[in-house]
Amino acid sequence: MQLDFVATRRHFSVFGLLLLTAGLACLLLASWRMSQTQQVQQQLEGQLWQLQAPPASVETDTEATALVAADRLARQFRRPWTMLFQRLEQINVPGVRLGQILPQAGDKASVQLGGEASDAESLYEYLRALRRQGGVTDVYLLQQHWDAESEALRFVVQARWDAGQEAVGAP
């Protein structure tokens, strides 16, 4: 018996290399199949989630309408109303009293003015003075009637005022 402690060269066998290559190929194939399966599962879960969700178009239309209305209201509040009030106070026609100022909702800066006049001539003088006022346009008399009880001519006037030029410093 002879013992040789010197290392001998080991040769890789062809069968071992084929087995290693086949194992790596199987591992790569299994990994690829698993990623494909997860991708299909995620797509199906997404479709299921969309089917379970309430219809988005009705909610979206309602929300969009609400947002447009809220934006219109916010723009209405941002207008420089104090400038309009100051301009209306500058108009001094004897026999005419302005009782109400109603801002009209919408993109145009329009207001309805209601009040009393002692006679028709005072009312028409007030309308002429309102038209001469800078920034106020499209002045129309919407309604007038004689109130026998208070002995006054009640009126409603529609006017549009250009808030754009005045709102330069407004927030």
Side-chain angles (χ1 to χ4, degrees), residues 49-171:
W49 186 71
Q50 285 178 346
L51 290 174
Q52 290 175 345
S57 63
V58 174
E59 241 179 64
T60 304
D61 291 344
T62 305
E63 288 175 3
T65 304
L67 287 175
V68 167
D71 184 52
R72 187 176 301 145
L73 184 63
R75 273 188 274 134
Q76 193 77 3
F77 282 120
R78 284 193 305 258
R79 289 194 175 126
W81 291 104
T82 55
M83 293 194 136
L84 174 68
F85 298 147
Q86 290 171 354
R87 287 186 177 197
L88 291 174
E89 287 175 358
Q90 290 174 355
I91 301 173
N92 188 13
V93 175
V96 176
R97 289 180 304 188
L98 198 57
Q100 70 182 177
I101 301 171
L102 299 171
Q104 301 298 305
D107 292 334
K108 295 180 179 178
S110 62
V111 294
Q112 281 190 356
L113 308 172
E116 296 179 344
S118 59
D119 58 10
E121 185 57 41
S122 299
L123 171 61
Y124 297 137
E125 179 59 34
Y126 179 77
L127 293 176
R128 285 190 288 271
L130 188 61
R131 285 186 183 115
R132 285 191 303 261
Q133 187 64 262
V136 179
T137 59
D138 300 335
V139 179
Y140 300 107
L141 180 63
L142 296 179
Q143 183 181 24
Q144 68 175 354
H145 69 278
W146 180 257
D147 186 10
E149 188 176 306
S150 64
E151 295 184 3
L153 184 64
R154 296 190 184 269
F155 64 89
V156 177
V157 174
Q158 174 96 22
R160 190 170 74 88
W161 60 288
D162 186 15
Q165 295 173 348
E166 299 168 353
V168 173

Side-chain angles (χ1 to χ4, degrees), residues 10-79:
R10 293 193 176 181
H11 297 288
F12 290 103
S13 67
V14 176
F15 178 70
L17 285 175
L18 286 176
L19 188 60
L20 179 64
T21 306
L24 287 175
C26 286
L27 180 65
L28 289 174
L29 181 64
S31 173
W32 179 75
R33 281 296 284 165
M34 184 179 221
S35 69
Q36 292 293 325
T37 305
Q38 286 177 348
Q39 189 177 26
V40 169
Q41 180 184 3
Q42 288 174 354
Q43 286 176 349
L44 291 175
E45 286 176 357
Q47 290 174 355
L48 178 65
W49 186 71
Q50 285 178 346
L51 290 174
Q52 290 175 345
S57 63
V58 174
E59 241 179 64
T60 304
D61 291 344
T62 305
E63 288 175 3
T65 304
L67 287 175
V68 167
D71 184 52
R72 187 176 301 145
L73 184 63
R75 273 188 274 134
Q76 193 77 3
F77 282 120
R78 284 193 305 258
R79 289 194 175 126

